[in-house]
Amino acid sequence: MPVGVHSEVGPLEEVIVYRPGREMDRLTPSNKDDLLFDDVLWLSQARRDHDVFTKTLSDQGVKVLCLNDLLKEALQDEQARSYVVEVSFADEYYGVTAAAALQEYAKSLTGSALGDFLIDGMTKRELDEFVGHVPSTYFHRFQGDDLVTPCLPNLYFTRDPSAWIYGGVSVNAMQMRARRREAFVYNTVYRWHPRFKGEDFDFWSRGANAGYSTVEGGDILVPGNGVVLVGLSQRTTPAGVERLAQSLFRDPHVRTVVGIMMGQERAQMHLDTVMTMVDERTFMKYQHLGMLETVVIERGPSGGLSVRVKDREDMHRVIANAMGVGDLRFLTTPESGPNAERGQWNDSCNLLALRPGVVVAYDRNERANEYLMSEGVQVLTVPGGELGRGRGGPRCMSCPVVRGSVVVD
């Protein structure tokens, strides 16, 4: 089927996931904060839990593409290998001598081994074993099991670095340094993997280091009817939202981008940690989110943008008006304040819709799941004990590639 995501809740046909691997064993109590984790994962259990997640999707008729495999298959192409080696081991980061040594080593690898190297990183001990001693200002700072090239443990949250929006994809410039190299993985896959190489789609962004202009996929919701919702969060900036909007407006079917002005905090790092859709007109919303200011962005004169700021009490009405509907339903789990905060921290609002009224949720959020079911939503639960340690739920772990539209009237 042609690639493209035309709604949040239309039938999910095809999705990219990433099965956690050896890079998780690089997480330690001393580096976990830099790598954006609150704890180290039990890898074998995380893999078993992730297998349940992917089986749940497959059993519901969703075609599951594994990013691990996509990358290695794309790297069979010589141009793909040249591109990813050049951008991943640039001298502006490693210095001239270290970059030259890393590029030479990377070029000697097969496509499969190169894929592992890009994701798993390399310790100083491994550098000495596989590359040998390299006189380098950069390498001199490391010893033993220090990572001389970083690993990518956040890669199993496939939503953030790559977001399909209507007929194109945004390979995102990530806010946090630990995640910026993930864009290189997706650019490689989308440019050279056979699944995408012959497809006709737009690149809304190619993930270039854009300074203050960052957008992450967890902040992007596609409710349909030519509307895009974007959270201005800890990870997505005003400059990033406006640049994305200007790019999206190349598509005549995209009418409106609504920015939602969120708090700048880790607990609510993305919009989908506090609000996701469960059917065409229904959102699951975190109890303590409240009403927020919104920014309505539309096409302006001479190729520019028209920006209107709306008061916080108008938030629901602004979203409904943009979608062209009379009203929307917002569900909030009825529970005490502390329990609501615990649920949000455990991704109770981070739901992946498979089709209208059918969602995937973490099993640990029992109260929220019971409430959803009482409201007529079918909830398919998957284990979240290990996977949730990275602060992300089922929506975070999925990058829809093909999803149909819905009729919203």
Side-chain angles (χ1 to χ4, degrees):
M1 296 184 62
V3 292
V5 168
H6 302 278
S7 69
E8 278 294 308
V9 300
L12 180 58
E13 304 287 347
E14 193 170 330
V15 66
I16 295 175
V17 302
Y18 176 85
R19 188 172 190 250
R22 184 168 176 255
E23 75 285 347
M24 287 297 175
D25 283 335
R26 309 289 203 184
L27 276 174
T28 67
S30 60
N31 70 18
K32 65 177 178 61
D33 292 337
D34 289 339
L35 293 172
L36 311 180
F37 278 75
D38 296 312
D39 200 355
V40 297
L41 270 68
W42 176 14
L43 177 57
S44 59
Q45 186 60 48
R47 288 168 69 90
R48 286 189 289 268
D49 292 351
H50 196 270
D51 289 344
V52 174
F53 173 58
T54 55
K55 185 176 187 301
T56 299
L57 300 182
S58 297
D59 288 348
Q60 293 293 312
V62 181
K63 183 177 180 179
V64 177
L65 305 177
C66 188
L67 184 62
N68 320 49
D69 298 329
L70 294 175
L71 176 61
K72 293 178 180 181
E73 290 161 1
L75 288 173
Q76 301 308 309
D77 188 294
E78 184 177 349
Q79 285 186 311
R81 292 196 298 275
S82 296
Y83 159 79
V84 81
V85 167
E86 180 180 346
V87 296
S88 298
F89 307 108
D91 58 15
E92 56 258 43
Y93 180 77
Y94 292 100
V96 175
T97 53
L102 291 171
Q103 288 190 20
E104 182 180 2
Y105 172 71
K107 289 175 182 177
S108 73
L109 300 174
T110 65
S112 180
L114 177 57
D116 288 335
F117 178 36
L118 294 169
I119 294 171
D120 298 344
M122 176 182 279
T123 66
K124 180 60 163 59
R125 195 182 313 279
E126 291 165 341
L127 175 77
D128 293 341
E129 179 182 353
F130 299 129
V131 181
H133 176 69
V134 179
S136 160
T137 308
Y138 175 82
F139 289 145
H140 182 69
R141 301 183 304 167
F142 300 97
Q143 58 184 348
D145 293 321
D146 292 341
L147 286 166
V148 297
T149 64
C151 59
L152 300 177
N154 294 279
L155 208 58
Y156 77 98
F157 297 129
T158 56
R159 174 77 58 163
D160 298 324
S162 166
W164 288 83
I165 309 169
Y166 296 105
V169 65
S170 177
V171 178
N172 296 317
M174 306 289 281
Q175 176 72 239
M176 310 303 281
R177 183 173 182 174
R179 302 202 66 179
R180 290 175 187 166
R181 291 172 59 242
E182 295 176 33
F184 306 152
V185 171
Y186 282 93
N187 277 331
T188 302
V189 168
Y190 292 146
R191 290 175 64 183
W192 285 286
H193 193 278
R195 170 65 183 95
F196 302 98
K197 193 173 182 179
E199 288 277 355
D200 181 20
F201 62 90
D202 286 302
F203 275 92
W204 306 130
S205 170
R206 293 184 182 269
N209 187 347
Y212 292 106
S213 181
T214 61
V215 175
E216 300 195 1
D219 281 316
I220 300 172
L221 274 63
V222 184
N225 279 8
V227 177
V228 181
L229 307 183
V230 185
L232 287 99
S233 66
Q234 183 196 53
R235 305 288 177 86
T236 293
T237 65
V241 171
E242 290 198 354
R243 282 170 61 108
L244 177 63
Q246 192 163 52
S247 184
L248 287 170
F249 289 151
R250 302 200 315 260
D251 182 346
H253 298 100
V254 179
R255 299 182 295 103
T256 307
V257 173
V258 177
I260 299 174
M261 308 297 288
M262 299 173 58
Q264 308 294 298
E265 57 184 273
R266 175 164 170 74
Q268 301 181 26
M269 71 179 78
H270 292 131
L271 179 60
D272 68 4
T273 66
V274 290
M275 194 171 78
T276 50
M277 294 188 73
V278 300
D279 67 30
E280 303 94 325
R281 300 176 69 150
T282 304
F283 290 80
M284 179 68 163
K285 184 181 176 186
Y286 173 43
Q287 181 183 111
H288 295 329
L289 182 64
M291 302 292 278
L292 303 173
E293 286 186 328
T294 52
V295 180
V296 179
I297 306 173
E298 297 173 320
R299 289 177 179 82
S302 304
L305 300 176
S306 167
V307 177
R308 292 172 290 136
V309 178
K310 298 292 186 176
D311 293 338
R312 63 179 64 240
E313 60 266 23
D314 295 329
M315 174 184 171
H316 294 176
R317 176 56 51 196
V318 167
I319 297 172
N321 287 345
M323 293 173 60
V325 299
D327 57 11
L328 295 168
R329 182 169 65 145
F330 289 84
L331 303 178
T332 300
T333 308
E335 55 189 346
S336 66
N339 287 334
E341 186 177 354
R342 284 168 53 86
Q344 187 272 329
W345 182 255
N346 290 325
D347 301 298
S348 63
C349 294
N350 192 261
L351 307 171
L352 172 64
L354 302 184
R355 52 189 178 274
V358 180
V359 301
V360 180
Y362 276 157
D363 56 1
R364 64 194 299 173
N365 295 307
E366 296 174 341
R367 184 68 189 93
N369 296 341
E370 290 169 359
Y371 171 65
L372 283 166
M373 289 187 285
S374 74
E375 292 291 327
V377 179
Q378 182 182 351
V379 180
L380 307 175
T381 59
V382 297
E386 287 300 316
L387 297 170
R389 293 180 191 273
R391 301 270 66 82
R395 189 179 191 273
C396 296
M397 295 190 298
S398 58
C399 173
V401 172
V402 179
R403 189 195 278 276
S405 60
V406 291
V407 177
V408 186
D409 55 20

